[in-house]
Amino acid sequence: MSAPIRNNWTKEEIAGIYNRPLLELIYEAASIHRIYQDTAEVQVCTLLSIKTGGCPEDCAYCPQAARYSTGVNVQALMDKEEVLKYAQKAKTAGSTRFCMGAAWREVRNNRDFDRVLDMVKGVNELGMEVCCTMGMLTEEQAERLQEAGLYAYNHNVDTSSDYYSDIISTRTYNDRLRTLGNVRKAGISVCSGGIIGLGETHEDRIGMLHTLCTLPAHPESVPINALVRVKGTPLQDNAKVDVWDMVRMIATARIIMPKTMVRLSAGRAEMSIAEQALCFMAGANSIFAGDKLLTTPNPSFAEDNAMFQLLGLKPRQAFKEEKELVKEVDYTTT
Ligand code: SAM
Ligand code: DTB
Ligand code: SF4
């Protein structure tokens, strides 16, 4: 079995995969997962909201948008020392990637940006893969982050280009893609995915995956988030995401982007271990760990350690290079 890396998938091909009978889809994703990845390993990332709430954007899912009354307390940019304490704690608990989130529309060339550059240096010195998610970036800002030691940048496309304006009106899909281009150009690892449960159709989900897998290079990480329904946001009454929908998204992402780290992201707090195990089986190999995402709850390190023990999973080392060679796998029994 082989799985060439392709950037020319058509929406029809992706729909053909996405709509397969579920168990067939999981089996194929699990088989492809074994070609490029060590299936015993799961990347463990920890998030920290370094600047919380008060965001001028109108993302309909987000508890941090200033225009919605969600009860999130606005907090100015944290101090470097405090951030480094959190990073060290995450490292001690087994995390290898530390992602700092700021509720900004875009990065500004100001004192706060210089302070973030300093935090990036500090986390890098701890030997962790340092990631940021802070909104739109210019080419020059991406270069400065890279020079400070930034390993990855998270910037989600969130949904399909067609559905985007139903969810966010304060920026465009092209703005998102422009930032991803700036990140790539600066030599920073690209982390981009999206959310399901926003009210999108299956076609939109396929459209989102199509955007990601037809970028000039696949993102190194693709987070798949289930909407966390936060009271006060316009999407507070949306239906809970069905776990089978998460499995279908993860499996399809795994098949069309075989080398990518597919992250089972927001939504784990509402999933059982059996449900999460299905997602790992379907090719998820990364999680956010620690009892908080940015502002909402997530399973604790202790709960995740117990799950890893049970499922025979181990945390992936930091800075691990992707395997260069395709491993041939023989599924025939003799
Ligand atoms: N402000 C920056 C931005 O929008 O890129 C960075 C932080 S923002 C909170 C990062 C990502 O978190 C969003 O793009 C979205 O995919 C995800 N997110 C935010 N609220 C969420 C929710 N309620 N449920 C699931 N994912 C969510
Ligand atoms: C991503 O794709 N999901 C994370 C991270 N990247 C930044 C954020 C999830 C946020 C969930 C809502 C909250 O905790 O505020
Ligand atoms: Fe602001 Fe990011 Fe939340 Fe949108 S997702 S409101 S840009 S913090």
Side-chain angles (χ1 to χ4, degrees):
M1 170 174 221
S2 71
I5 305 300
R6 288 180 49 192
N7 298 67
N8 61 354
W9 291 100
T10 64
K11 280 191 187 163
E12 292 68 33
E13 284 176 307
I14 300 171
I17 296 169
Y18 180 93
N19 288 316
R20 274 190 202 150
L22 196 62
L23 295 183
E24 284 305 311
L25 178 63
I26 295 172
Y27 179 75
E28 180 170 356
S31 308
I32 286 182
H33 193 34
R34 277 149 182 76
I35 298 176
Y36 289 100
Q37 320 266 357
D38 179 344
T39 51
E41 287 185 347
V42 171
Q43 180 191 46
V44 181
C45 318
T46 292
L47 281 166
L48 177 68
S49 184
I50 58 169
K51 186 269 163 183
T52 308
C55 184
E57 299 286 88
D58 70 350
C59 312
Y61 47 76
C62 188
Q64 301 198 69
R67 66 192 74 202
Y68 313 134
S69 301
T70 62
V72 163
N73 287 327
V74 177
Q75 271 187 329
L77 190 64
M78 285 170 69
D79 283 332
K80 179 184 168 189
E81 283 64 37
E82 211 189 332
V83 169
L84 292 185
K85 265 191 231 156
Y86 276 99
Q88 181 58 59
K89 197 173 143 213
K91 186 183 174 185
T92 308
S95 256
T96 52
R97 180 173 290 197
F98 190 68
C99 181
M100 299 183 279
W104 289 332
R105 165 184 165 79
E106 63 208 319
V107 171
R108 300 260 170 87
N109 284 318
N110 58 14
R111 219 182 122 250
D112 278 353
F113 184 45
D114 291 340
R115 289 177 57 204
V116 170
L117 293 174
D118 227 26
M119 294 176 199
V120 167
K121 279 189 199 126
V123 177
N124 192 34
E125 281 161 13
L126 290 178
M128 299 183 86
E129 294 176 10
V130 50
C131 174
C132 282
T133 181
M134 311 187 292
M136 293 183 273
L137 281 185
T138 64
E139 223 178 299
E140 187 232 330
Q141 290 163 340
E143 276 166 20
R144 290 184 66 198
L145 282 163
Q146 193 275 337
E147 283 159 13
L150 190 77
Y151 188 79
Y153 195 81
N154 166 251
H155 199 66
N156 291 337
V157 296
D158 280 335
T159 188
S160 69
S161 57
D162 290 342
Y163 194 55
Y164 198 76
S165 59
D166 284 49
I167 298 298
I168 299 148
S169 76
T170 48
R171 55 168 191 259
T172 66
Y173 210 66
N174 264 333
D175 289 332
R176 280 321 247 190
L177 296 177
R178 203 167 300 116
T179 291
L180 289 177
N182 292 340
V183 171
R184 177 61 79 205
K185 212 166 167 187
I188 296 168
S189 176
V190 173
C191 173
S192 187
I195 313 178
I196 64 171
L198 302 174
E200 73 287 346
T201 60
H202 290 289
E203 216 184 332
D204 289 315
R205 294 178 186 175
I206 290 161
M208 176 180 102
L209 291 173
H210 180 254
T211 295
L212 294 169
C213 75
T214 54
L215 289 172
H218 293 169
E220 281 77 11
S221 315
V222 170
I224 305 289
N225 296 277
L227 173 71
V228 182
R229 297 163 299 163
V230 178
K231 203 158 177 280
T233 63
L235 304 185
Q236 63 172 21
D237 296 324
N238 277 22
K240 180 178 186 282
V241 170
D242 191 314
V243 68
W244 301 114
D245 287 3
M246 279 300 268
V247 170
R248 204 175 271 289
M249 275 306 274
I250 288 169
T252 308
R254 168 54 63 226
I255 292 169
I256 61 180
M257 294 175 279
K259 277 191 169 183
T260 290
M261 306 298 293
V262 177
R263 186 171 307 128
L264 167 57
S265 302
R268 287 198 308 117
E270 292 192 63
M271 290 169 75
S272 67
I273 291 187
E275 288 170 337
Q276 294 180 60
L278 268 167
C279 294
F280 296 128
M281 195 66 209
N285 60 349
S286 178
I287 57 168
F288 285 121
D291 54 16
K292 213 160 147 200
L293 289 166
L294 290 171
T295 65
T296 64
N298 194 49
S300 68
F301 283 117
E303 284 172 280
D304 283 338
N305 283 341
M307 175 174 74
F308 274 34
Q309 283 271 315
L310 180 71
L311 302 180
L313 297 172
K314 58 181 187 215
R316 183 184 200 257
Q317 292 162 18
F319 308 107
K320 195 171 165 188
E321 293 301 315
E322 288 159 345
K323 283 182 203 158
E324 287 303 325
L325 291 171
V326 175
K327 211 168 53 178
E328 280 304 321
V329 183
D330 186 359
Y331 284 98
T332 55
T333 47
T334 46

PDB file of all heavy atoms in Angstrom, residues 47 63-64 99 133 154 156 194 223 225 228 263 265-266 288 293-296, ligand 2:
ATOM      1  N   LEU A  47      -1.834  24.597  25.640  1.00  0.00           N
ATOM      2  CA  LEU A  47      -2.213  25.960  25.273  1.00  0.00           C
ATOM      3  C   LEU A  47      -2.142  26.871  26.490  1.00  0.00           C
ATOM      4  O   LEU A  47      -2.414  26.435  27.605  1.00  0.00           O
ATOM      5  CB  LEU A  47      -3.666  25.976  24.806  1.00  0.00           C
ATOM      6  CG  LEU A  47      -3.986  25.506  23.392  1.00  0.00           C
ATOM      7  CD1 LEU A  47      -5.490  25.283  23.280  1.00  0.00           C
ATOM      8  CD2 LEU A  47      -3.528  26.520  22.361  1.00  0.00           C
ATOM      9  N   PRO A  63     -15.666  32.708  22.524  1.00  0.00           N
ATOM     10  CA  PRO A  63     -15.972  33.333  23.817  1.00  0.00           C
ATOM     11  C   PRO A  63     -15.168  34.602  24.078  1.00  0.00           C
ATOM     12  O   PRO A  63     -15.477  35.343  25.021  1.00  0.00           O
ATOM     13  CB  PRO A  63     -15.600  32.246  24.835  1.00  0.00           C
ATOM     14  CG  PRO A  63     -14.716  31.279  24.120  1.00  0.00           C
ATOM     15  CD  PRO A  63     -15.041  31.372  22.667  1.00  0.00           C
ATOM     16  N   GLN A  64     -14.128  34.858  23.260  1.00  0.00           N
ATOM     17  CA  GLN A  64     -13.252  35.994  23.531  1.00  0.00           C
ATOM     18  C   GLN A  64     -13.595  37.251  22.727  1.00  0.00           C
ATOM     19  O   GLN A  64     -12.926  38.273  22.855  1.00  0.00           O
ATOM     20  CB  GLN A  64     -11.810  35.596  23.262  1.00  0.00           C
ATOM     21  CG  GLN A  64     -11.367  34.416  24.107  1.00  0.00           C
ATOM     22  CD  GLN A  64      -9.868  34.322  24.144  1.00  0.00           C
ATOM     23  OE1 GLN A  64      -9.205  35.162  24.737  1.00  0.00           O
ATOM     24  NE2 GLN A  64      -9.326  33.307  23.492  1.00  0.00           N
ATOM     25  N   CYS A  99       1.764  26.330  23.117  1.00  0.00           N
ATOM     26  CA  CYS A  99       1.142  27.263  22.183  1.00  0.00           C
ATOM     27  C   CYS A  99       0.526  28.439  22.930  1.00  0.00           C
ATOM     28  O   CYS A  99      -0.356  28.260  23.762  1.00  0.00           O
ATOM     29  CB  CYS A  99       0.085  26.535  21.359  1.00  0.00           C
ATOM     30  SG  CYS A  99      -0.722  27.614  20.167  1.00  0.00           S
ATOM     31  N   THR A 133      -0.536  31.697  18.403  1.00  0.00           N
ATOM     32  CA  THR A 133      -1.751  31.925  17.622  1.00  0.00           C
ATOM     33  C   THR A 133      -2.268  33.293  18.048  1.00  0.00           C
ATOM     34  O   THR A 133      -2.751  33.463  19.158  1.00  0.00           O
ATOM     35  CB  THR A 133      -2.769  30.765  17.777  1.00  0.00           C
ATOM     36  OG1 THR A 133      -3.908  31.059  16.970  1.00  0.00           O
ATOM     37  CG2 THR A 133      -3.191  30.490  19.212  1.00  0.00           C
ATOM     38  N   ASN A 154      -0.180  28.853  14.600  1.00  0.00           N
ATOM     39  CA  ASN A 154      -1.537  28.338  14.373  1.00  0.00           C
ATOM     40  C   ASN A 154      -2.429  29.449  13.822  1.00  0.00           C
ATOM     41  O   ASN A 154      -2.516  30.532  14.408  1.00  0.00           O
ATOM     42  CB  ASN A 154      -2.124  27.800  15.675  1.00  0.00           C
ATOM     43  CG  ASN A 154      -3.631  27.568  15.558  1.00  0.00           C
ATOM     44  OD1 ASN A 154      -4.422  28.300  16.148  1.00  0.00           O
ATOM     45  ND2 ASN A 154      -4.044  26.592  14.777  1.00  0.00           N
ATOM     46  N   ASN A 156      -6.177  29.101  11.904  1.00  0.00           N
ATOM     47  CA  ASN A 156      -7.136  28.171  11.311  1.00  0.00           C
ATOM     48  C   ASN A 156      -7.931  28.812  10.173  1.00  0.00           C
ATOM     49  O   ASN A 156      -8.318  29.977  10.266  1.00  0.00           O
ATOM     50  CB  ASN A 156      -8.110  27.678  12.388  1.00  0.00           C
ATOM     51  CG  ASN A 156      -7.434  26.775  13.398  1.00  0.00           C
ATOM     52  OD1 ASN A 156      -6.394  26.182  13.103  1.00  0.00           O
ATOM     53  ND2 ASN A 156      -7.987  26.667  14.592  1.00  0.00           N
ATOM     54  N   GLY A 194      -9.641  23.600  11.500  1.00  0.00           N
ATOM     55  CA  GLY A 194     -10.924  24.274  11.628  1.00  0.00           C
ATOM     56  C   GLY A 194     -11.819  23.652  12.670  1.00  0.00           C
ATOM     57  O   GLY A 194     -11.383  22.859  13.516  1.00  0.00           O
ATOM     58  N   PRO A 223      -5.395  20.968  13.194  1.00  0.00           N
ATOM     59  CA  PRO A 223      -6.312  20.745  14.320  1.00  0.00           C
ATOM     60  C   PRO A 223      -7.761  20.634  13.852  1.00  0.00           C
ATOM     61  O   PRO A 223      -8.215  21.448  13.050  1.00  0.00           O
ATOM     62  CB  PRO A 223      -6.135  21.997  15.192  1.00  0.00           C
ATOM     63  CG  PRO A 223      -5.408  23.003  14.374  1.00  0.00           C
ATOM     64  CD  PRO A 223      -4.888  22.360  13.139  1.00  0.00           C
ATOM     65  N   ASN A 225     -11.285  20.815  15.497  1.00  0.00           N
ATOM     66  CA  ASN A 225     -11.985  21.196  16.730  1.00  0.00           C
ATOM     67  C   ASN A 225     -13.467  20.876  16.610  1.00  0.00           C
ATOM     68  O   ASN A 225     -14.075  21.105  15.561  1.00  0.00           O
ATOM     69  CB  ASN A 225     -11.880  22.716  16.942  1.00  0.00           C
ATOM     70  CG  ASN A 225     -10.456  23.202  17.160  1.00  0.00           C
ATOM     71  OD1 ASN A 225      -9.939  23.154  18.277  1.00  0.00           O
ATOM     72  ND2 ASN A 225      -9.802  23.665  16.097  1.00  0.00           N
ATOM     73  N   VAL A 228     -16.959  24.199  20.862  1.00  0.00           N
ATOM     74  CA  VAL A 228     -17.292  24.276  22.289  1.00  0.00           C
ATOM     75  C   VAL A 228     -18.378  25.352  22.370  1.00  0.00           C
ATOM     76  O   VAL A 228     -18.135  26.510  22.012  1.00  0.00           O
ATOM     77  CB  VAL A 228     -16.063  24.683  23.136  1.00  0.00           C
ATOM     78  CG1 VAL A 228     -16.418  24.711  24.617  1.00  0.00           C
ATOM     79  CG2 VAL A 228     -14.893  23.740  22.886  1.00  0.00           C
ATOM     80  N   ARG A 263      -4.690  16.861  14.691  1.00  0.00           N
ATOM     81  CA  ARG A 263      -4.916  17.059  16.129  1.00  0.00           C
ATOM     82  C   ARG A 263      -6.400  16.962  16.500  1.00  0.00           C
ATOM     83  O   ARG A 263      -7.230  17.680  15.952  1.00  0.00           O
ATOM     84  CB  ARG A 263      -4.347  18.418  16.568  1.00  0.00           C
ATOM     85  CG  ARG A 263      -4.403  18.634  18.081  1.00  0.00           C
ATOM     86  CD  ARG A 263      -3.636  19.875  18.513  1.00  0.00           C
ATOM     87  NE  ARG A 263      -2.282  19.843  17.997  1.00  0.00           N
ATOM     88  CZ  ARG A 263      -1.725  20.836  17.310  1.00  0.00           C
ATOM     89  NH1 ARG A 263      -2.375  21.942  17.091  1.00  0.00           N
ATOM     90  NH2 ARG A 263      -0.491  20.721  16.858  1.00  0.00           N
ATOM     91  N   SER A 265      -8.651  18.205  18.686  1.00  0.00           N
ATOM     92  CA  SER A 265      -8.454  19.454  19.438  1.00  0.00           C
ATOM     93  C   SER A 265      -9.605  19.730  20.396  1.00  0.00           C
ATOM     94  O   SER A 265      -9.900  18.883  21.236  1.00  0.00           O
ATOM     95  CB  SER A 265      -8.230  20.600  18.456  1.00  0.00           C
ATOM     96  OG  SER A 265      -7.123  20.307  17.639  1.00  0.00           O
ATOM     97  N   ALA A 266     -10.270  20.885  20.258  1.00  0.00           N
ATOM     98  CA  ALA A 266     -11.339  21.208  21.210  1.00  0.00           C
ATOM     99  C   ALA A 266     -12.443  20.158  21.143  1.00  0.00           C
ATOM    100  O   ALA A 266     -12.709  19.582  20.089  1.00  0.00           O
ATOM    101  CB  ALA A 266     -11.907  22.589  20.890  1.00  0.00           C
ATOM    102  N   PHE A 288      -4.378  18.564  22.561  1.00  0.00           N
ATOM    103  CA  PHE A 288      -4.073  19.635  23.506  1.00  0.00           C
ATOM    104  C   PHE A 288      -4.263  19.035  24.893  1.00  0.00           C
ATOM    105  O   PHE A 288      -5.312  18.441  25.176  1.00  0.00           O
ATOM    106  CB  PHE A 288      -5.029  20.811  23.339  1.00  0.00           C
ATOM    107  CG  PHE A 288      -4.743  21.652  22.121  1.00  0.00           C
ATOM    108  CD1 PHE A 288      -5.697  21.830  21.137  1.00  0.00           C
ATOM    109  CD2 PHE A 288      -3.509  22.279  21.966  1.00  0.00           C
ATOM    110  CE1 PHE A 288      -5.438  22.610  20.012  1.00  0.00           C
ATOM    111  CE2 PHE A 288      -3.240  23.064  20.841  1.00  0.00           C
ATOM    112  CZ  PHE A 288      -4.206  23.234  19.877  1.00  0.00           C
ATOM    113  N   LEU A 293      -8.206  24.796  27.682  1.00  0.00           N
ATOM    114  CA  LEU A 293      -7.781  25.102  26.306  1.00  0.00           C
ATOM    115  C   LEU A 293      -7.308  26.562  26.359  1.00  0.00           C
ATOM    116  O   LEU A 293      -6.267  26.823  26.919  1.00  0.00           O
ATOM    117  CB  LEU A 293      -8.942  24.866  25.341  1.00  0.00           C
ATOM    118  CG  LEU A 293      -9.302  23.379  25.129  1.00  0.00           C
ATOM    119  CD1 LEU A 293     -10.651  23.220  24.456  1.00  0.00           C
ATOM    120  CD2 LEU A 293      -8.220  22.680  24.308  1.00  0.00           C
ATOM    121  N   LEU A 294      -8.079  27.492  25.824  1.00  0.00           N
ATOM    122  CA  LEU A 294      -7.739  28.905  26.042  1.00  0.00           C
ATOM    123  C   LEU A 294      -8.576  29.440  27.198  1.00  0.00           C
ATOM    124  O   LEU A 294      -8.051  29.942  28.191  1.00  0.00           O
ATOM    125  CB  LEU A 294      -7.970  29.705  24.753  1.00  0.00           C
ATOM    126  CG  LEU A 294      -6.970  29.398  23.629  1.00  0.00           C
ATOM    127  CD1 LEU A 294      -7.397  30.051  22.328  1.00  0.00           C
ATOM    128  CD2 LEU A 294      -5.548  29.834  23.975  1.00  0.00           C
ATOM    129  N   THR A 295      -9.894  29.264  27.081  1.00  0.00           N
ATOM    130  CA  THR A 295     -10.779  29.739  28.163  1.00  0.00           C
ATOM    131  C   THR A 295     -11.736  28.652  28.640  1.00  0.00           C
ATOM    132  O   THR A 295     -12.462  28.870  29.600  1.00  0.00           O
ATOM    133  CB  THR A 295     -11.632  30.942  27.684  1.00  0.00           C
ATOM    134  OG1 THR A 295     -12.506  30.494  26.639  1.00  0.00           O
ATOM    135  CG2 THR A 295     -10.765  32.073  27.148  1.00  0.00           C
ATOM    136  N   THR A 296     -11.777  27.525  27.958  1.00  0.00           N
ATOM    137  CA  THR A 296     -12.753  26.471  28.287  1.00  0.00           C
ATOM    138  C   THR A 296     -12.047  25.204  28.791  1.00  0.00           C
ATOM    139  O   THR A 296     -10.852  25.014  28.530  1.00  0.00           O
ATOM    140  CB  THR A 296     -13.633  26.137  27.052  1.00  0.00           C
ATOM    141  OG1 THR A 296     -12.792  25.590  26.025  1.00  0.00           O
ATOM    142  CG2 THR A 296     -14.367  27.358  26.519  1.00  0.00           C
TER     143      THR A 296
HETATM  144  C1  DTB B   2      -7.035  25.232  17.756  1.00  0.00           C
HETATM  145  O1  DTB B   2      -7.262  24.772  16.622  1.00  0.00           O
HETATM  146  N1  DTB B   2      -7.811  25.051  18.815  1.00  0.00           N
HETATM  147  C2  DTB B   2      -7.260  25.722  19.968  1.00  0.00           C
HETATM  148  C3  DTB B   2      -5.936  26.325  19.428  1.00  0.00           C
HETATM  149  N2  DTB B   2      -5.959  25.965  18.054  1.00  0.00           N
HETATM  150  C4  DTB B   2      -5.655  27.743  19.620  1.00  0.00           C
HETATM  151  C5  DTB B   2      -8.191  26.681  20.607  1.00  0.00           C
HETATM  152  C6  DTB B   2      -9.500  26.052  21.044  1.00  0.00           C
HETATM  153  C7  DTB B   2     -10.255  27.097  21.766  1.00  0.00           C
HETATM  154  C8  DTB B   2     -11.531  26.569  22.373  1.00  0.00           C
HETATM  155  C9  DTB B   2     -12.271  27.635  23.085  1.00  0.00           C
HETATM  156  C10 DTB B   2     -11.560  28.228  24.262  1.00  0.00           C
HETATM  157  O2  DTB B   2     -11.001  27.504  25.100  1.00  0.00           O
HETATM  158  O3  DTB B   2     -11.565  29.470  24.383  1.00  0.00           O
END
